Structures are given as C-alpha cells and as structure tokens.
Amino acid sequence: MNETIEMKKTSSERNSTTQEPIQQFLAKLKDKMKQVYHQRGDIDKYSQQRGLPPFVLREIMECNPLSIGIPKEYGGRGAIMRENIALLEAASYESLALSLTFGINSALFLQPVGKYAQEEAKASVFKRFLEQRNMGGLMITEPDYGSDALNMQTSCTEEEDYFQLSGKKHWAGLTGWADYWLLTARQKTEKGDLKRDIDFFICDVTQPNQGIQVEEFFDNLGLYQIPYGRNHIDVKIPKTHRLQPHSTGVKMMLDLLHRSRMQFPGMAMGFIHRIMDEAINHCKQRLVGGKSLLNYDQVQERLSKIQASFTVCSAMCSNSAKKAGVENDLTGIGIEANAVKSVITDLMQEAAQSLTQLVGAKAYKLSHLGGRGIVDSRPFQIFEGSNDILYAQISEGIVKQMRKLKETNLFNFLKGYELTSRSADQLKELFNFDLNLQLPQRKMVELGQVIGRVISMDMVHKLADEGFRNDLIEGGVNMLQQEITQTMSKFKSKTLDLVIEDYQDDSSWLKFSI
C-alpha cells in the first residue's frame, strides 16, 4: 500500500516538473543550487576537491533537470533546444562543472539516444533517468587516437544476440559515475581489419557483461567535480542497444558533435554572466588612489570586453535555440558549429583571465571565481575538437566553397555567404583582396579565427533585429571588429618562422655577457 502511494507520488512530482513553465522549472533549480552551494555548503571549498559531496548532486537531481533532454512521449519536457540551453546557462552561473555535467548528459547522451536509439532501448533508458536519476556519457576518445577519432581502434564483432566490444577509451567526462555510456567502435571484417564506418552502442554498466573497468582516474587540471580517466572496454551489448543511423555512422557522429558544439554557448552564458557581475561589483567597491577601479580607463577596457562577450554569447544562444534542435540534421553545418564552439570558448578563457587581472592576487586561488574560472574554462578550448583544428577546418570549408564557386575575392564570397552576409560590408576594406587558396596551416588557423568572428558578428546583428538593447549590441560588434582587424594584420604578415631544433650553439646569453 505504502509503495503504491510512493510510486504515485513520484509520478505526480515528475509530471509537475515536466509540465510547468520553463522559468518556474529553472527557478526551482536555482533555489536548490543556492541551498546546496551557499547555505548548506561552500562552493569555494567544493571547487578545491575531487568530486562532489553526495548530497549536492542528489539534491540538485531531485529537481529532475535532465528531464529537459527527454522527449515528451517518454515523460520528459520534450528535448526542446531553447530549454536545454537555458538549463546550461542557469547551472553555469553557479558552477561550470555542473553545467558541463548537464551538457554531457543531454548533448552527448540523451539527445542522440532520443534521435537514433531503438524503441526498446529508449523506453528503459528514459524511465531510469526520470525515476532513478541516472546519468549517461559518451566515449569516443582513445589513448592513441585523440583528434583522429575516425581511426579509433575499439572494435566490435557481431554475434547472434549481441555485439562484443573491445578497446580502451579515455578522457570521458563522468568516468566511473555514469550509469550509461554511448560507446563508439568500428566493426571487424572477416579479415580482421576494421571498417571505415563507426557504430554507437548504449552500454548499461549495471547489467551483466556490460561493466566498464576504470584503469586510472586522471588528476585533471580544473573541473575537479567531474571525474575523468582511462577505461578498459570488454562488454557485450544487446543488439537492441545499437543506435540506428539515418545514413552512415560517421554522419550520425557529425550530427551529434555539431549539435553539442552549438550548445557550448549555453555553458558559456552563465559563466560569462557571472564573471561580468563579479568583475563589475569588485571594480565598484575596490578603491585605488582614492577612487574606485571603475574610474580607470584600462579597467573600463577589460570590463567592456567581458560585457561584449556576454552579448556575443547571447547572440549565439539565440541562434542555437533556433537551429540546433534534435529534429534538424546538423551533419552539414560544420563551419557554423566549429565557429560557435571555438569563438565562445576563447571568450570564456579571456573573460576569466580579465577577472583575475582585475582582482589581483586574491583571484589567484582555486577558491576564487577568477582562478577557478581560468582552469575550468581552459579545457573547453581543447575537448570536442581543439580550437586550432576547428579554426583550420573553418578555413578548409570556406576555401572549398570558394573553389567550387571559382571565386578568389574574399569580400565577394563573404558578401554572398549566408553566415557572413550581414557583416561583410562593414569589413570590406579588410577583405577586398584575392585569397591564396593554397595557404600554410598556420594561415588557415588565422583565417578561421577571422571567419569565426565574422560569423559571430552576423549573429549579433540578428540579435539586434530581435530587440536586444542597442548599447550592448554596439559593444559586441566593436569588440569583434577589433579582433578581426588585429588577426587580419597577423594573417597578412609574410613571416613564417620555424623552430630551430639544434639551437644550442651560440645561444647562451652568459657567454656574451663578459
């Protein structure tokens, strides 16, 4: 009798959280974060230790935040992209690690499961997420094949009722915590070689023959609350738990990764907003030379750039909310997704550096938002595609399209390109030249940095069309234009310095100081 009442109560509570307005849903989550991070505990202390006190995650998960990533027909809120980005923003204002935890669960597990999993698997997975507060993650990266994911060596062989997976994976967020994992592998041929395509499997570590052995937990620099490590894979996955691509496994992976990169602004939004608030408040209160820091011009320069980053991030959130839904195929939006991920993570790191500079020595502690923000935001420039690689890929995509159109003038191309047409005119003086389509790699990276910011500027202009306040829009556009101008100056430089490997001869200053 009591069990029946409790089950009905749990179901009723779940329905209320999945049907209430998103603002009300987020307000409850924010109240809970305030309680566990500031009233019952101290987030500054948590930031210095590995993992989280059990009650913190338990109480936050009582709000059922991951219901946002689950379709309505399975009891969730509908996997609406606007809501998912808002969830990431709310969490990252308090904790970037918590927001990333939500992001891993939603973008790298729940969304692909909802889109590509078989019915039998979806029903059981979503039920446990809603009722038992389970978590899931994604394993792609391997010790010898980091950015070279397409050459992964984890293999799968098909048996009568299951797939046998064998290999090693590392740097998967939530290592040792997640109840479910999306595992990537390549099928073995009869000759023992591995096929080019990639398969995804849902691994339930609570089931027999699906346990994943953690060989080592890493002492990751930053994001202390999230465990990372090296995992040994030797599991048997039921055939019902293999994802079903709409075309190929590689395209499914691109759709998944591009959608994830388009959601980075959600994690960045709350983080940059919090840094902006902390920086402004500190500079108002801190007196130097008889006046507040806010009155110094260099301080204003730093604060205005943080605020401009807030505006750029807002534009990206608005853009992703419209484009990145699970109902859309994002396989072909690599240029846009790479631009969003790389530009916003650069801005996250720069914002943290500026806050630390403004606060001074006090911020050079893990217990302070500035120092913590530097080490917590730094890996965002690396995981899910190193920014150097993504910038080069942006340029490769642009050059490919220019070749196809037989266009060499960069301005003419950008003026007609959907992602940059709004901003091209105001940048004509910088781009009105014939682009060498055979660029060295470092120039491809620099060009990608420029194009990424032009794409971002277009998003800011579109945000202005939606009614965002004009003074913030102006600041965002000005900052991007300055960065574009500076990087274009570097891009046009002919210098291509190379490392001198045998540098020891005649390179000691002491020898020449006599």
Side-chain angles (χ1 to χ4, degrees):
M1 179 69 174
N2 289 338
E3 288 182 6
T4 303
I5 293 174
E6 190 63 31
M7 288 177 62
K8 288 182 177 179
K9 180 181 177 182
T10 301
S11 177
S12 174
E13 290 174 347
R14 186 170 70 248
N15 288 338
S16 67
T17 61
T18 57
Q19 295 174 9
E20 64 189 352
I22 183 62
Q23 295 297 347
Q24 185 177 338
F25 180 89
L26 293 176
K28 290 181 179 179
L29 175 64
K30 291 175 182 178
D31 286 343
K32 183 64 72 173
M33 289 190 294
K34 182 178 179 181
Q35 290 175 25
V36 298
Y37 283 139
H38 301 290
Q39 295 173 357
R40 291 186 57 189
D42 184 349
I43 190 172
D44 293 335
K45 290 183 179 179
Y46 299 158
S47 66
Q48 302 173 64
Q49 61 192 39
R50 300 285 173 182
L52 278 171
F55 85 92
V56 173
L57 200 56
R58 183 182 67 244
E59 296 212 6
I60 288 174
M61 294 300 284
E62 282 181 3
C63 297
N64 224 347
L66 299 181
S67 63
I68 278 180
I70 296 174
K72 284 187 177 180
E73 57 266 35
Y74 298 96
R77 290 188 59 89
I80 301 168
M81 187 52 61
R82 170 178 168 271
E83 293 193 357
N84 191 77
I85 292 173
L87 170 68
L88 299 178
E89 176 186 3
S92 63
Y93 191 88
E94 289 291 353
S95 167
L96 191 54
L98 177 64
S99 185
L100 180 56
T101 298
F102 290 162
I104 292 169
N105 274 278
S106 56
L108 300 182
F109 185 81
L110 290 172
Q111 291 168 16
V113 166
K115 185 167 185 176
Y116 294 108
Q118 299 175 53
E119 187 60 34
E120 181 178 338
K122 284 196 281 193
S124 61
V125 168
F126 293 147
K127 180 179 174 66
R128 277 175 48 187
F129 264 75
L130 289 170
E131 295 182 357
Q132 300 178 34
R133 311 299 192 252
N134 279 186
M135 294 198 296
L138 170 67
M139 290 189 182
I140 293 182
T141 308
E142 299 184 1
D144 296 323
Y145 299 89
S147 299
D148 190 16
L150 294 180
N151 282 317
M152 68 179 65
Q153 296 300 296
T154 299
S155 64
C156 62
T157 54
E158 185 174 0
E159 306 295 339
E160 185 176 351
D161 298 318
Y162 61 87
F163 286 92
Q164 173 75 47
L165 273 66
S166 301
K168 290 190 185 296
K169 301 287 186 181
H170 72 167
W171 286 112
L174 306 180
T175 291
W177 276 14
D179 308 277
Y180 288 102
W181 289 101
L182 274 187
L183 300 180
T184 55
R186 295 197 290 159
Q187 288 196 39
K188 274 189 176 181
T189 66
E190 292 181 357
K191 295 180 179 180
D193 299 328
L194 296 179
K195 294 182 179 179
R196 290 177 61 87
D197 205 16
I198 294 171
D199 283 299
F200 284 73
F201 302 89
I202 302 172
C203 179
D204 179 356
V205 299
T206 68
Q207 298 302 306
N209 301 314
Q210 295 187 54
I212 293 176
Q213 178 187 353
V214 181
E215 295 181 334
E216 177 189 1
F217 282 105
F218 296 153
D219 55 344
N220 41 288
L221 176 65
L223 297 172
Y224 284 1
Q225 293 83 16
I226 300 178
Y228 291 88
R230 185 178 67 252
N231 302 273
H232 177 69
I233 310 297
D234 185 11
V235 296
K236 296 177 179 179
I237 308 296
K239 289 190 174 181
T240 55
H241 284 54
R242 175 177 176 262
L243 298 195
Q244 297 180 311
H246 297 167
S247 55
T248 67
V250 170
K251 288 185 176 180
M252 177 169 62
M253 183 171 71
L254 289 175
D255 178 53
L256 181 161
L257 291 177
H258 291 165
R259 182 170 293 102
S260 177
R261 289 169 188 168
M262 292 288 279
Q263 293 170 72
F264 270 59
M267 294 181 283
M269 191 72 251
F271 177 76
I272 292 175
H273 190 174
R274 176 66 179 278
I275 281 184
M276 179 176 68
D277 286 349
E278 294 286 338
I280 292 174
N281 289 336
H282 171 78
C283 292
K284 281 182 178 179
Q285 298 167 11
R286 177 69 167 168
L287 298 179
V288 175
K291 57 182 180 180
S292 76
L293 282 177
L294 209 59
N295 291 308
Y296 287 90
D297 184 58
Q298 175 61 20
V299 170
Q300 284 288 327
E301 194 273 340
R302 285 193 179 274
L303 292 175
S304 65
K305 183 165 184 179
I306 296 174
Q307 197 161 65
S309 299
F310 168 85
T311 302
V312 172
C313 192
S314 299
M316 289 181 174
C317 287
S318 178
N319 178 70
S320 292
K322 297 180 181 69
K323 292 184 177 180
V326 291
E327 67 277 6
N328 299 324
D329 180 7
L330 304 189
T331 302
I333 69 158
I335 291 176
E336 183 173 5
N338 290 358
V340 166
K341 187 270 183 185
S342 52
V343 171
I344 201 57
T345 55
D346 281 353
L347 295 181
M348 289 169 70
Q349 175 67 191
E350 290 167 14
Q353 293 281 358
S354 279
L355 175 61
T356 303
Q357 193 72 26
L358 289 167
V359 173
K362 184 179 178 182
Y364 198 63
K365 298 179 181 178
L366 276 176
S367 59
H368 191 278
L369 179 64
R372 182 168 75 244
I374 289 174
V375 293
D376 281 353
S377 64
R378 185 64 179 90
F380 281 72
Q381 296 173 294
I382 300 172
F383 59 54
E384 280 202 44
S386 167
N387 282 7
D388 280 357
I389 295 174
L390 297 187
Y391 282 131
Q393 289 177 348
I394 290 170
S395 295
E396 289 165 6
I398 294 297
V399 167
K400 182 178 179 180
Q401 292 190 44
M402 291 180 72
R403 283 201 179 104
K404 186 176 180 180
L405 295 171
K406 297 182 179 179
E407 176 64 74
T408 58
N409 184 276
L410 185 57
F411 168 73
N412 289 342
F413 173 80
L414 295 178
K415 179 62 179 174
Y417 185 44
E418 179 186 5
L419 298 178
T420 56
S421 59
R422 290 289 299 274
S423 303
D425 278 337
Q426 69 190 96
L427 301 165
K428 183 175 181 179
E429 290 185 8
L430 293 173
F431 297 141
N432 193 17
F433 65 92
D434 286 336
L435 180 68
N436 175 12
L437 300 185
Q438 298 290 336
L439 292 169
Q441 189 180 50
R442 71 182 72 185
K443 295 301 179 182
M444 295 288 273
V445 172
E446 291 166 3
L447 180 62
Q449 291 171 336
V450 168
I451 301 298
R453 281 153 181 79
V454 180
I455 291 171
S456 302
M457 189 183 293
D458 259 46
M459 294 180 191
V460 174
H461 285 306
K462 290 174 183 175
L463 185 65
D465 295 342
E466 295 166 6
F468 205 79
R469 57 183 293 170
N470 288 332
D471 50 359
L472 290 179
I473 293 291
E474 183 179 358
V477 169
N478 288 342
M479 178 197 72
L480 290 170
Q481 188 161 359
Q482 289 170 11
E483 292 198 348
I484 291 166
T485 301
Q486 292 167 0
T487 310
M488 279 303 296
S489 176
K490 183 180 178 184
F491 173 77
K492 291 179 178 179
S493 168
K494 304 296 184 182
T495 303
L496 293 174
D497 291 330
L498 300 175
V499 66
I500 301 168
E501 296 183 48
D502 185 18
Y503 64 86
Q504 288 84 359
D505 291 344
D506 294 330
S507 61
S508 171
W509 67 268
L510 189 58
K511 176 181 176 181
F512 304 105
S513 63
I514 300 173

